[in-house]
Amino acid sequence: MKQQLAAGVLAIVLMVLVACDSRVPAQRQLESDAKLLRLDYQSSIDNLPRQYFVYLPVGYQQESDKQWPVLLFLHGNGERGNGLDELDYTLIHGPLYEAWVQKRELPFIIVVPQLPMFDMGQLPYIANRSPADIPQRLTDGVPPRPDSFPSSAPIAPAAAVTDMSTVPALLPDGWETAELDLLLILQQVQAKFHTDPTHLYLTGISYGGFGSWFMASQHPQLFAAVAPVVGWGHPDLMPPIAQAQTPLWVFAAGRDSAINKDYFYPGIETLRQLGHYNVRFSMLEQAEHDAWRQVYAGQDLYDWLLQHQKPVE
């Protein structure tokens, strides 16, 4: 009887140990997974509560002593919203789509705010959007990538533009309206997470490309490198960027039906005349306005960003 009792106790103990052991790898895996957080802030634009995304990369939880690079992404016009239930529209494009939806292990804390709607809600591509357009992170695997925008436009050289004096430097109701919000968000992220202040990067698409130029011009010492995508920079914005020698990689689309590719050249040439040579300029001649799909789906941009570091103050 005693032997039977002992055997039963031993069996139970073994079952508990096996159960505990089977949970440990799963728990470790859970802790090592990438995470997508929604953080609160109060906007200086209208004093209303809003949220922004923070993506924590794979390994963030384990490497508690590591300081991680931060990548701030500014979305395009079609992803505007109230910063609350509409924030998910910012998942449609950019590095957050790559890291969260496509499950790429990008080694950045990715920060994605949302530009307020202002009076843009009646634009067809905003008015007709649907929550069904928001890509979902799958439990297993990744969703297929959407097709690129079709274009029947010919591949043609850019036309020379010698006078930008009558061309506005910024688009209406753009990211310049959220400048204080962006600075507050970066301060919150740097205070809350293990960030490397010498590896703060900025990139954006279309409206966000214009916003990237603006923020680089207003705060040229803030970013280790900046990559505007399908958004040109006005020559008037260039002197502070050139003075700070902020590394730039500028992307334009040769068959862009939304942004005039001719307008990229005057700003780039102004930088050259001001003695700023740490500039890469890529004209993707075959691409439509969504050239950002090619840019962020590749690896070159991320590797280039990580090559740059701000001087330690």
Side-chain angles (χ1 to χ4, degrees):
M1 181 69 179
K2 291 183 178 179
Q3 290 180 341
Q4 292 178 341
L5 180 60
V9 171
L10 178 59
I12 293 173
V13 170
L14 288 174
M15 289 173 60
V16 171
L17 289 175
V18 168
C20 291
D21 186 63
S22 66
R23 284 198 300 268
V24 170
Q27 180 65 23
R28 288 175 180 168
Q29 178 64 36
L30 181 63
E31 291 175 351
S32 66
D33 281 349
K35 299 185 183 305
L36 187 61
L37 310 177
R38 301 172 71 107
L39 298 189
D40 300 319
Y41 76 104
Q42 183 170 324
S43 174
S44 63
I45 298 172
D46 51 18
N47 292 319
L48 294 176
R50 295 177 69 86
Q51 294 180 326
Y52 58 94
F53 278 132
V54 173
Y55 166 86
L56 300 180
V58 172
Y60 177 85
Q61 304 297 328
Q62 286 68 42
E63 300 185 56
S64 58
D65 295 332
K66 178 177 178 178
Q67 291 183 311
W68 292 82
V70 175
L71 178 57
L72 173 62
F73 172 71
L74 306 182
H75 63 73
N77 206 40
E79 293 76 62
R80 290 173 181 267
N82 59 20
L84 297 172
D85 60 296
E86 296 176 330
L87 181 62
D88 286 353
Y89 284 106
T90 64
L91 288 165
I92 294 176
H93 305 298
L96 186 55
Y97 169 82
E98 293 294 326
W100 185 246
V101 178
Q102 292 295 327
K103 300 181 181 179
R104 294 179 60 188
E105 294 188 15
L106 300 180
F108 304 89
I109 295 175
I110 302 175
V111 181
V112 181
Q114 188 173 40
L115 191 62
M117 189 67 73
F118 295 121
D119 295 323
M120 299 285 185
Q122 297 306 310
L123 292 173
Y125 57 84
I126 296 179
N128 296 328
R129 71 187 183 183
S130 162
D133 301 327
I134 299 169
Q136 302 298 313
R137 179 180 171 94
L138 304 180
T139 302
D140 297 312
V142 297
R145 294 177 179 274
D147 295 333
S148 296
F149 294 172
S151 177
S152 59
I155 297 176
V161 177
T162 58
D163 183 9
M164 293 283 286
S165 61
T166 62
V167 179
L170 297 167
L171 301 178
D173 293 324
W175 281 100
E176 74 281 355
T177 62
E179 177 185 2
L180 296 181
D181 284 9
L182 295 178
L183 296 176
L184 172 63
I185 286 169
L186 288 175
Q187 290 172 358
Q188 288 183 349
V189 169
Q190 290 172 329
K192 186 176 180 65
F193 301 101
H194 304 301
T195 66
D196 184 344
T198 69
H199 288 80
L200 172 59
Y201 307 111
L202 171 62
T203 187
I205 62 172
S206 193
Y207 249 79
F210 284 86
S212 297
W213 282 110
F214 173 79
M215 291 297 293
S217 180
Q218 293 297 114
H219 307 279
Q221 304 292 346
L222 187 60
F223 303 102
V226 179
V229 181
V230 293
W232 48 264
H234 197 281
D236 290 351
L237 298 177
M238 299 307 169
I241 298 174
Q243 183 176 3
Q245 294 290 302
T246 304
L248 293 166
W249 193 350
V250 184
F251 295 89
R255 297 195 288 174
D256 198 326
S257 58
I259 298 296
N260 189 338
K261 74 175 182 180
D262 304 344
Y263 287 168
F264 281 82
Y265 293 88
I268 300 295
E269 173 60 15
T270 298
L271 288 173
R272 187 195 67 81
Q273 294 176 6
L274 292 172
H276 187 9
Y277 297 102
N278 195 358
V279 180
R280 297 182 67 171
F281 179 31
S282 296
M283 176 65 74
L284 307 181
E285 290 288 4
Q286 86 293 348
E288 240 287 359
H289 188 52
D290 65 339
W292 61 73
R293 299 187 194 275
Q294 178 180 343
V295 172
Y296 295 117
Q299 186 62 33
D300 291 352
L301 174 60
Y302 307 111
D303 292 342
W304 177 84
L305 290 172
L306 291 171
Q307 293 171 11
H308 296 90
Q309 177 179 1
K310 291 191 301 179
V312 179
E313 298 180 355

